[in-house]
Amino acid sequence: MDIRVQADPFAPGAVLDGFTAALSGAGAVVSFTGLVRDIDGALDHMEIEHYPGMTEAALRKIASDAMERWPLIDVLILHRHGKLAPQDPIMMVATASPHRNAAFEAADFLMDYLKSRAPFWKNERVGGVDRWVDATAEDEAALSRWGDDAANGGD
Amino acid sequence: MDIRVQADPFAPGAVLDGFTAALSGAGAVVSFTGLVRDIDGALDHMEIEHYPGMTEAALRKIASDAMERWPLIDVLILHRHGKLAPQDPIMMVATASPHRNAAFEAADFLMDYLKSRAPFWKNERVGGVDRWVDATAEDEAALSRWGDDAANGGD
Amino acid sequence: MKIDVRYFAWVRERIGVGHESVETDAATPRALIEELRTREARYEAAFQDITALRVAVDQELVDMDDALGTAREVAFFPPMTGG
Amino acid sequence: MKIDVRYFAWVRERIGVGHESVETDAATPRALIEELRTREARYEAAFQDITALRVAVDQELVDMDDALGTAREVAFFPPMTGG
């Protein structure tokens, strides 16, 4: 299990190759990379706040839950904080398994929990004005797909 | 759309970074890498046969179907043929979308069709004996998840 | 008891500090919020809609009505937006 | 008509060649298989279980009973195992 919370930029390819090289017995590796989206071309930058200490613990919990639930060989979660430019990679998860479906489902699970259960908050500066990104009802609802208690964590 | 059929090895990370660098407006990139599995430590090598000409056309069709079905910014399919060693990357797909779910679902779709509708045949040499890998009923059944005519292609 | 109270995102901005030490006998996060609201307008501004807030006690997500017990650190923040 | 017939994987191995030119009036892939089976034992060995085979006509997957029409290239092979 590899959990990283960092202000520094990262190259998804280097992370993927490092993750893959360390595997033994894997047949399937799935990666998800989140990029800073700039749909209207108006985003100056994004700033991500987090809760040091709790962040690492929350990510470790999410990764452990995935390892318990699927036959995974390894899991990686990397998430940046601080200032990011449009198109910068924000975060990445990777899963490895002997089986394709397990790798896909676990990556999807990691993303659902990471969105709503890890203490990150995105702030976007658009046209010189800062605004906090709102959580969506869909993100919260997505957790019910996995139908367990963790979906009810928090209020 | 980037379709590659090649005998040469490839580094998944370099492919992922190249794919990601060319994107505009993407928020989500999903990659799947298939590795030569060697569960019993007995695999000498794998040899993949394919149908030159038809292979490229079939992969292009599968990628186009995904682009029509989901709001994707780009799709990549890379598949090796020839001789591969245990743990070698066999193939890779990547999808990019503004939306996470579209990127995940499309990558899953590409894999399902690639397994049963692209003209590749795997041969494993185990303990000096060659054997053709059998297609599984599960792989065929997986296509029905997507519920369309293409699932009935072939006899 | 003395609790280190932390604020994040717009909760932090409205209150004006990232964390502070609070002397309280509140039994739950909800009771702690009600106590803080009576202090100054900036707390009222941050805590006016309690359904828009999440809380962690000793760095674990909990419900607003869970017991604070011997908590050392309580954090209030809006729903998380990672990923 | 003259058709380029191609074989892959164990079909190719059993027949002993990767492709050959065949003069035939078969109307469907199934009819072409029945014709080839009568030729030599190696064809019989390759084609004994037609349900284990797939066919492509001019590089597109089709059903065994589809019309060959003016096909130039027909390929027989086992179910594919890519990915």
Side-chain angles (χ1 to χ4, degrees), chain A residues 49-54 79 90-91 111 114-123 132-135 152-155, chain C residues 6-10 12-13 30 53-54 56 59-64 73-75 77-83:
Chain A
E49 185 169 335
H50 80 118
Y51 185 168
M54 178 173 167
H79 206 299
I90 302 174
M91 49 69 59
M111 287 307 303
L114 213 129
K115 290 231 166 225
S116 304
R117 292 291 177 266
F120 292 101
W121 298 274
K122 292 188 182 118
N123 189 295
W132 293 98
V133 172
D134 282 327
N152 302 316
D155 193 3
Chain C
R6 311 192 61 158
Y7 310 113
F8 292 96
W10 56 254
R12 172 182 54 71
E13 288 181 339
R30 191 185 301 276
L53 297 176
R54 299 291 179 269
Q59 307 195 350
E60 284 205 17
L61 285 172
V62 298
D63 287 337
M64 286 293 179
E73 186 174 304
V74 175
F77 41 77
M80 295 154 277
T81 55

Side-chain angles (χ1 to χ4, degrees), chain A residues 20 23-29 73 96-99, chain B residues 34-38 87:
Chain A
T20 304
L23 299 172
S24 173
V29 177
I73 292 168
S97 173
H99 307 290
Chain B
L35 307 173
V36 178
R37 226 187 328 164
D38 180 20
Q87 291 301 308

Side-chain angles (χ1 to χ4, degrees), chain B residues 131-142:
Chain B
R131 65 175 182 209
W132 293 98
V133 173
D134 283 327
T136 66
E138 293 82 50
D139 284 343
E140 189 63 28

Side-chain angles (χ1 to χ4, degrees), chain C residues 1-82:
Chain C
M1 62 186 173
K2 223 182 183 89
I3 294 179
D4 186 30
V5 185
R6 311 192 61 158
Y7 310 113
F8 292 96
W10 56 254
V11 178
R12 172 182 54 71
E13 288 181 339
R14 290 185 194 174
I15 291 176
V17 295
H19 62 105
E20 59 188 331
S21 186
V22 172
E23 183 66 44
T24 180
D25 293 319
T28 66
R30 191 185 301 276
L32 177 56
I33 284 181
E34 293 309 329
E35 208 178 292
L36 291 168
R37 278 174 90 156
T38 62
R39 289 191 169 186
E40 284 180 53
R42 59 198 173 97
Y43 291 97
E44 176 59 29
F47 292 137
Q48 58 195 344
D49 179 10
I50 202 166
T51 67
L53 297 176
R54 299 291 179 269
V55 59
V57 170
D58 290 337
Q59 307 195 350
E60 284 205 17
L61 285 172
V62 298
D63 287 337
M64 286 293 179
D65 297 314
D66 283 356
L68 280 182
T70 58
R72 295 160 161 224
E73 186 174 304
V74 175
F76 295 108
F77 41 77
M80 295 154 277
T81 55

Side-chain angles (χ1 to χ4, degrees), chain B residues 18-153:
Chain B
F19 179 76
T20 305
L23 299 171
S24 174
V29 177
V30 169
S31 79
F32 178 94
T33 307
L35 307 173
V36 178
R37 226 187 328 164
D38 180 20
I39 290 175
D40 308 324
L43 182 74
D44 300 324
H45 66 254
M46 174 180 278
E47 184 122 17
I48 299 178
E49 184 170 336
H50 80 118
Y51 186 168
M54 179 173 167
T55 308
E56 291 78 1
L59 296 184
R60 199 164 294 280
K61 166 84 165 65
I62 293 167
S64 301
D65 286 351
M67 298 277 291
E68 265 178 40
R69 195 159 175 151
W70 287 276
L72 302 177
I73 292 167
D74 204 2
V75 166
L76 171 141
I77 303 178
L78 185 162
H79 206 300
R80 286 185 67 188
H81 57 88
K83 206 182 218 176
L84 290 88
Q87 291 301 308
D88 270 4
I90 302 175
M91 48 70 57
M92 184 169 172
V93 304
T95 55
S97 171
H99 306 290
R100 177 162 65 104
N101 288 342
F104 265 119
E105 285 178 25
D108 205 4
F109 171 95
L110 291 174
M111 288 306 303
D112 275 350
Y113 278 87
L114 214 129
K115 290 229 166 226
S116 304
R117 292 292 176 266
F120 292 101
W121 298 274
K122 293 189 182 119
N123 189 295
E124 292 173 339
R125 174 165 293 188
V126 177
V129 179
D130 290 334
R131 65 175 182 209
W132 293 98
V133 173
D134 283 327
T136 66
E138 293 82 50
D139 284 343
E140 189 63 28
L143 299 190
S144 65
R145 291 203 286 155
W146 310 105
D148 59 13
D149 290 349
N152 302 317

Side-chain angles (χ1 to χ4, degrees), chain D residues 22-33:
Chain D
V22 172
E23 184 65 44
T24 180
D25 291 321
T28 65
R30 190 184 302 274
L32 176 56
I33 283 180

Side-chain angles (χ1 to χ4, degrees), chain D residues 1 5-6 8-9 11 17 24-26 30 34 41 45 50-54 57 60 63 69 75 83:
Chain D
M1 63 187 173
V5 184
R6 312 192 61 160
F8 292 95
V11 179
V17 296
T24 180
D25 291 321
R30 190 184 302 274
E34 294 307 330
I50 202 166
T51 66
L53 297 175
R54 299 292 179 267
V57 170
E60 283 205 17
D63 286 339

